Amino acid sequence: MPDLRSELERIRVPEAEESERQARLLIEAAFDERSAGAGDRRRRPGRIVAAMLSLIGASVIALTPAGAEVREWIKDTVTDVGEPNAKPALTRLPAPGSLLVSAGRGAWTVSGGGARDRLGTFDDVGWSPHGLYVATAEGRSLSARTAAGETRWEIEADAAVTDPVWSPNEGYRVAYRSGDELRVVWGDGVNDRAIGAAVAVAPAWKPRAGKRNVLAYADPTGHVRIVDADTGELLGAARSPAAPVDLDWTRDGSQLLVLLRDSIRVLDPEGDEIRRAKLSRSREAVGGAFLPGRDTIVLLLRSERSGARTSVVFVNHVGDELSKRTIFTGSGRLTGLAVAPNGRRMLVGWPRADQWLFIPTKRTNRIEAVGNIRRQFGTGENEPFPRVEGWCCQAR
Amino acid sequence: MDKLGLRLRRPTGSAGGAGDLAAPLPALGPLRADAAHRSERKLVRAAKRGSKEAFGELFNMHWPRVHRASYLIIRDSAAAEDIAQEAFMAALRHLDRFDARRPLGPWLHRIVVNRSIDWTRTSRIRSEVHADSWREETGVPGPESAAPAVSGELMSALGRLPVERRAVVVMRFLLDYTPSEIAAALELPTGTVNSRLRRALDQLGSDYEEAADA
């Protein structure tokens, strides 16, 4: 018959094995540092520290004087931070499709074989649904260009253009923000019109909307609005207590993710709430998207407690159950979440490690890391880290 | 015994007595056994001499229980990991001054339990994912699991206890300390520890009965 003691032993600690593994690496590295300090101050290359940091980051280390010593050492070996066995160059993508990348003020495409082509200097970019064109924003200008860089059309807005998002429905519309206004222009550059005031989050086109062009965006009155972009008809709305971090539809257009810094909300196309979950107060969502299907959301969760680190977390929501699984944790920030067209990999940037991480969405595969990302895109240390704006089109 | 068959080891005798709370539990953890203690002393001495392997063995011996204790008190796996790591880093920092004749476990446990209490107090009422039925995938087993739901209910019931009571329950029933040892570790009168234990067990018992009735 179970008693209290055995029941306390039976409660499973979430991610216990991973926690133990990370802690062991930290302790081993700290022990090495202690030994080095007590002995001949030898400084072995930070292989253990690199492995440790790839998993837990310097954040945890900041907690104790011993950790502080390790952290000081880490400063000397910061280039070792990152996933071990990272490839030195991007020679191929581990899933079909092509990448669209913002690096510094330049935009690049990366083919499946790893070939990089610089499109030009832009503030913001977005793929067309089949990867044939790129919507580019530069100052108050919005243009459509071929993937080879040839300009097809260009319009001038009243204020700076950001977040160009091409409709997935055969590319008939492009949404963009100009100042604090959301606008939509047809895919051939005509019929530019205002939709309404919007806050600084990229709008999200609803896939599989039939002949309609349905757009979700966040307005400054604290609502997420779902509208027909052609008629202006309001199809749905939901209160949003804060500006969303991300908006993303499932690929079948049946659910809309409204990601807030402190919570997840999932809406149906009428704006009715299907799901709400609050994050732990110690973590803040900085990015998120649906994986193919409707059951899994991938989140980038940043924690500032005991230092900065960001985790890639899968959230499964099926029926009444929500569960989460931490896939990866890195020191500092992870940026630019992009999911492969086939849904089998996702890509996040890890600026502190100067790496891109191709993370599998199934347990059977391993993370593939590619290093020297700044150098490959000609980006200086003081410029924003190369960011993947889109991973497009299996057939491309 | 409650309706779900969970034996809570309630105090016996008069309401004010310590009853079996003060008695050692029959199944002592291996860390408290003499052989384990001797082994631990050797490992501490070896670690002090610079053996990373020895310190690794100490880590292996103590991490699971230290981490679990923190998690049961604060119910946040990431924070529990941080707090347990802190304890081991502190152990490493003080290794040279540590008296190898004394067991390492109580020293680690005292740090972890006190820091877990502090963390929970400073966090106030946390809007944890648990409150939104957000179950950690690797956490409390769900109904489909081979493990019965008792552990999940226990976790919920623990969460309803004030952190100070939760801590003494964890120290008593997970870490196997006597009330006087708990009192020393938490710098409390033994009577206060006994009182907290009794109230905690009463509350857990009634929670189970409500769960069983529901």
Side-chain angles (χ1 to χ4, degrees):
Chain A
M1 193 67 70
D3 61 14
L4 181 54
R5 182 174 187 277
S6 64
E7 286 303 316
L8 290 173
E9 294 277 11
R10 287 179 64 213
I11 291 173
R12 294 170 64 197
V13 181
E15 300 166 356
E17 289 182 5
E18 183 62 16
S19 292
E20 183 171 349
R21 190 169 70 94
Q22 293 182 0
R24 181 181 289 108
L25 288 168
L26 170 69
I27 301 300
E28 286 179 351
F31 195 95
D32 283 343
E33 170 62 11
R34 174 183 176 276
S35 301
D40 59 7
R41 305 295 302 177
R42 66 188 182 280
R43 289 198 171 193
R44 292 185 292 170
R47 185 169 180 178
I48 293 172
V49 173
M52 171 191 73
L53 278 179
S54 72
L55 294 164
I56 58 176
S59 55
V60 175
I61 298 166
L63 293 173
T64 69
E69 290 170 11
V70 178
R71 186 178 52 184
E72 290 305 308
W73 180 29
I74 287 161
K75 282 182 182 174
D76 296 337
T77 57
V78 70
T79 53
D80 288 338
V81 173
E83 273 289 282
N85 305 317
K87 293 176 182 170
L90 186 61
T91 54
R92 66 166 185 85
L93 301 182
S98 299
L99 305 179
L100 185 59
V101 179
S102 292
R105 291 203 66 233
W108 301 67
T109 59
V110 180
S111 71
R116 295 179 300 280
D117 290 308
R118 192 174 191 279
L119 284 175
T121 300
F122 307 110
D123 297 325
D124 214 344
V125 288
W127 275 126
S128 72
H130 299 297
L132 300 176
Y133 301 99
V134 177
T136 63
E138 184 183 10
R140 293 188 292 125
S141 168
L142 174 71
S143 59
R145 297 164 192 266
T146 66
E150 179 188 347
T151 303
R152 287 303 174 92
W153 53 261
E154 184 169 2
I155 60 173
E156 195 81 1
D158 292 335
V161 173
T162 55
D163 297 318
V165 184
W166 219 303
S167 158
N169 302 324
E170 298 305 319
Y172 291 142
R173 304 289 182 270
V174 179
Y176 65 99
R177 292 193 312 111
S178 173
D180 56 5
E181 188 175 57
L182 178 68
R183 302 185 68 85
V184 170
V185 61
W186 285 18
D188 55 3
V190 301
N191 289 337
D192 178 44
R193 65 186 292 263
I195 299 297
V199 298
V201 59
W205 288 105
K206 180 177 181 290
R208 299 191 185 181
K211 293 183 178 178
R212 300 184 102 169
N213 292 289
V214 176
L215 189 63
Y217 69 101
D219 74 14
T221 69
H223 290 86
V224 171
R225 300 168 72 89
I226 302 168
V227 298
D228 184 317
D230 296 329
T231 66
E233 180 187 357
L234 181 65
L235 304 174
R239 277 286 300 165
S240 177
V245 174
D246 267 325
L247 298 171
D248 190 46
W249 290 93
T250 53
R251 294 189 183 186
D252 66 359
S254 65
Q255 297 182 10
L256 173 67
L257 169 67
V258 180
L259 180 64
L260 305 175
R261 291 195 184 283
D262 64 352
S263 60
I264 298 168
R265 293 176 184 213
V266 179
L267 309 179
D268 69 12
E270 285 74 47
D272 292 329
E273 192 170 278
I274 300 171
R275 169 79 69 190
R276 179 191 297 202
K278 199 156 181 67
L279 302 174
S280 164
R281 280 176 53 189
S282 61
R283 287 182 168 188
E284 174 185 318
V286 294
F290 274 110
L291 292 182
R294 290 177 292 181
D295 298 338
T296 306
I297 297 166
V298 56
L299 299 178
L300 299 183
L301 298 181
R302 184 170 165 81
S303 171
E304 292 290 349
R305 191 192 60 234
S306 66
R309 53 182 167 169
T310 309
S311 298
V312 179
V313 176
F314 285 175
V315 177
N316 285 297
H317 69 121
V318 181
D320 294 331
E321 283 287 325
L322 267 185
S323 63
K324 66 187 174 93
R325 178 162 60 99
T326 300
I327 304 300
F328 177 86
T329 298
S331 60
R333 293 177 180 275
L334 301 177
T335 61
L337 175 67
V339 180
N342 67 6
R344 292 183 182 166
R345 292 268 176 181
M346 58 189 175
L347 196 166
V348 294
W350 190 5
R352 187 173 287 183
D354 194 16
Q355 289 182 351
W356 277 356
L357 305 176
F358 293 93
I359 297 174
T361 56
K362 304 291 183 190
R363 290 173 190 259
T364 49
N365 295 320
R366 299 176 63 86
I367 293 174
E368 289 189 24
V370 178
N372 305 308
I373 294 299
R374 288 183 182 278
R375 180 163 55 78
Q376 292 178 72
F377 290 97
T379 307
E381 284 291 330
N382 296 323
E383 292 181 291
F385 188 68
R387 174 186 176 90
V388 176
E389 303 290 352
W391 192 340
C392 177
C393 320
Q394 196 156 349
R396 190 171 179 275
Chain B
M1 196 178 303
D2 71 288
K3 292 182 179 180
L4 295 181
L6 192 71
R7 206 164 56 231
L8 293 177
R9 302 188 64 80
R10 293 164 180 278
T12 56
S14 68
D20 67 351
L21 292 178
L25 292 170
L28 289 176
L31 299 181
R32 302 190 70 193
D34 284 347
H37 188 192
R38 279 196 298 275
S39 168
E40 184 179 278
R41 283 202 302 256
K42 288 181 183 173
L43 290 171
V44 169
R45 280 197 291 270
K48 290 173 83 162
R49 289 195 300 269
S51 169
K52 185 171 149 184
E53 291 70 25
F55 198 79
E57 282 291 308
L58 291 168
F59 175 88
N60 292 340
M61 288 170 71
H62 291 289
W63 172 267
R65 195 157 280 208
V66 163
H67 186 211
R68 172 177 296 275
S70 183
Y71 174 69
L72 291 176
I73 294 170
I74 65 180
R75 304 169 70 244
D76 179 310
S77 57
E81 181 186 322
D82 285 352
I83 289 170
Q85 283 176 353
E86 279 184 68
F88 278 93
M89 293 297 279
L92 185 59
R93 195 168 69 243
H94 293 103
L95 187 60
D96 287 335
R97 284 170 281 163
F98 191 79
D99 183 352
R101 293 168 299 182
R102 301 175 61 187
L104 182 63
W107 191 85
L108 288 169
H109 298 156
R110 182 170 56 81
I111 291 177
V112 161
V113 171
N114 280 299
R115 289 191 183 177
S116 297
I117 293 171
D118 290 344
W119 187 91
T120 308
R121 284 173 176 162
T122 55
S123 299
R124 295 187 176 184
I125 300 168
R126 299 169 60 78
S127 300
E128 293 296 343
V129 289
H130 308 91
D132 300 293
S133 303
W134 181 338
R135 178 177 59 82
E136 297 264 4
E137 186 169 276
T138 53
V140 177
E144 77 286 359
S145 165
V150 171
S151 297
E153 290 173 8
L154 176 58
M155 193 64 185
S156 300
L158 278 174
R160 289 190 285 273
L161 292 178
V163 64
E164 293 81 5
R165 292 182 196 170
R166 209 152 61 222
V168 295
V169 167
V170 168
M171 290 197 79
R172 178 73 183 111
F173 293 99
L174 177 75
L175 302 176
D176 293 345
Y177 291 106
T178 64
S180 58
E181 288 170 335
I182 297 170
L186 301 182
E187 298 181 352
L188 293 170
T190 305
T192 302
V193 171
N194 281 326
S195 168
R196 287 181 182 176
L197 272 173
R198 276 195 308 277
R199 291 173 191 273
L201 295 181
D202 285 345
Q203 189 172 337
L204 288 175
S206 65
D207 281 354
Y208 280 126
E209 285 166 12
E210 284 177 15
D213 290 340

